[in-house]
Amino acid sequence: MKALVLHDKGQPLVPEERAEPTASGEEAIVKVYAAALNHRDVWIQKGRYAGLVYPAIPGSDGAGVVAATGSNSHAHWKGKDVIINPTLNWGASEAHPDMPHFRILGMPDPGTFAQYVKVPVSCLAEKPAHLSFEAAAALPLAGLTAFRALFTRARLKTGEKILITGTGGGVALFALQFAVASGAKVWVSSGSDEKIAAAVKLGARAGVNYRNSKWMEQLQEQAGEFDVIIDGTAGDSVNQLFNLACPGGRVVFYGSTMGNPSSAEIRRIFWKQLNVLGTTMGSAADFQAMTAFVSKQQIQPIIDKIFPFLEGEKAMRRMDEALQFGKIVLKIV
Ligand SMILES: NC(=O)c1ccc[n+]([C@@H]2O[C@H](COP(=O)([O-])OP(=O)(O)OC[C@H]3O[C@@H](n4cnc5c(N)ncnc54)[C@H](OP(=O)(O)O)[C@@H]3O)[C@@H](O)[C@H]2O)c1
């Protein structure tokens, strides 16, 4: 089979011939029709990720058709259109994944940037019927992370005010779509006025450009304080986020694209009785609830661009430069 392979940190993704995986026991083989990129794939390429093993076939997101199962008891999956839950070994608790066994598909396990991928049968879910393979491939990792951040962790309620930072990001855009669909009042930030305008078309009330040094004051003028803030950027903006949260508000971090803050004003957290929450991926129950929500609300993932499979490296560069609005997808079949 053809796969996109990373041979070392800082190296490009190169198409190569690899042996097709085989399934045993509780495993299944999915013929991948479409895969999607996440920032994680770029971190893996740059060598900025824990537990790196090269050569690697990255890719956490995929949709396709089940080609084989390891045991006959799962044979009913064969030929089904599926999306893959990229969470491996979440474990029994809904509160957190089972450390250190928890992993994410695509490192160290070979990922979806290949014509075939091996996954546990428990990670298969039927493709939402209203989605194409490309749209379905865009959903799993970012959709799951956004869903758990909003509903399992922040417990977002209809009518609440929410700020979602970096709206062009994959997780942030799903958070926007899900929050709008749930009846929340949504504001966004972005480094691009065009992306803010696009977010408003998707239902955001308004947004601010974080390249403007007065972005926090602008948001305070537009919206006052926020019940919920969802952020994947961190860095030195965390104190502004704590300022923007209402007393008793919930601030959820799912990433730190800008790194750690040089200082965090803890006083703001305890004085305002803030709930500062972390989240990563989600449980099988979160994944099931997310796909049910997407089907019920007929949500269409926003696709930035679909690249031919063998142009995976070009797709990685687009994500690295934050040029996208929505998910970057690789069409494999
Ligand atoms: N914990 C988890 O389970 C989990 C899951 C997925 C991702 N993540 C992490 O979350 C982060 C985002 O992932 P992703 O895949 O959604 O990435 P992505 O699609 O590449 O999005 C990153 C976005 O960050 C925004 N950004 C950059 N600088 C910013 C700033 N100063 N303030 C606010 N926003 C800024 C940009 O938004 P604009 O384009 O609008 O400017 C960019 O589009 C990454 O660090 C990733 O590793 C964690």
Side-chain angles (χ1 to χ4, degrees), residues 38-40 43 104 141-142 145 165-172 189-192 195 210-211 231-233 237 254-258 279-281 319 322 324 327:
N38 290 285
H39 216 101
R40 175 177 195 265
W43 297 137
I104 301 171
L141 189 146
T145 305
T165 62
T167 192
V171 177
S189 73
S190 177
S192 145
K195 291 184 186 183
Y210 56 70
R211 297 188 200 283
D231 180 75
T233 314
S237 64
Y254 63 87
S256 54
T257 298
M258 300 299 283
T279 196
T280 284
M281 305 292 287
M319 169 156 275
Q324 80 279 14
K327 295 293 291 183

Side-chain angles (χ1 to χ4, degrees), residues 45-69:
Q45 184 177 45
K46 291 186 171 180
R48 288 170 60 189
Y49 204 84
L52 290 170
V53 185
Y54 300 107
I57 302 174
S60 305
D61 278 338
V65 174
V66 177
T69 56

